[in-house]
Amino acid sequence: MHLSRLSTGHYSLECAEEDLGGVRTALRELCGTPRVVNYGPFITYTFEVAEFIFQNEWDAPCLISSSDLGDRILEQVTGILARDPNFERNHVRFFRRTD
């Protein structure tokens, strides 16, 4: 899992498929439950504080920020999961999956 700076100046969090549950759980802990809209080739996750675009082309999932606050949130998610690789399993009892 790593952050890549895009030409827009914002981050893309790129991860393996098996990391998606941890990313989802960390985002919900930090931001609450998102409004999710599936547009086919991408999905938007809109939280009260930030919006992200999720793409999963060629088995390469990425979550793209569109704001400075979204960048800071992705930095926090990356840090949380780096410190606790079992974050999803340790915290999932507090969250209900909606997908």
Side-chain angles (χ1 to χ4, degrees), residues 16-27 81 87-88 92 97:
E17 297 249 350
E18 57 267 16
D19 296 327
L20 290 175
V23 171
R24 181 184 301 113
T25 302
L27 276 171
L81 297 175
F87 185 81
E88 178 187 18
V92 75
R97 285 203 163 150

Side-chain angles (χ1 to χ4, degrees), residues 4 18 40 61 65:
S4 295
E18 57 267 16
S65 168

Side-chain angles (χ1 to χ4, degrees), residues 55-75:
Q55 293 180 312
N56 190 3
E57 295 179 330
W58 304 291
D59 298 321
C62 65
L63 192 64
I64 301 167
S65 168
S66 60
S67 68
D68 292 338
L69 181 55
D71 292 342
R72 290 193 298 276
I73 291 167
L74 292 184
E75 288 172 339

Side-chain angles (χ1 to χ4, degrees), residues 26-79:
L27 276 171
R28 284 198 180 133
E29 182 165 292
L30 292 168
C31 303
T33 301
R35 182 174 53 88
V36 179
V37 179
N38 187 336
Y39 290 99
F42 66 92
I43 300 169
T44 60
Y45 288 87
T46 305
F47 296 91
E48 224 174 275
V49 295
E51 181 175 84
F52 301 95
I53 294 172
F54 175 76
Q55 293 180 312
N56 190 3
E57 295 179 330
W58 304 291
D59 298 321
C62 65
L63 192 64
I64 301 167
S65 168
S66 60
S67 68
D68 292 338
L69 181 55
D71 292 342
R72 290 193 298 276
I73 291 167
L74 292 184
E75 288 172 339
Q76 289 180 315
V77 167
T78 303

Side-chain angles (χ1 to χ4, degrees), residues 76-93:
Q76 289 180 315
V77 167
T78 303
I80 287 169
L81 297 175
R83 286 188 302 277
D84 183 0
N86 297 314
F87 185 81
E88 178 187 18
R89 186 174 68 229
N90 295 336
H91 292 81
V92 75
R93 68 182 176 275

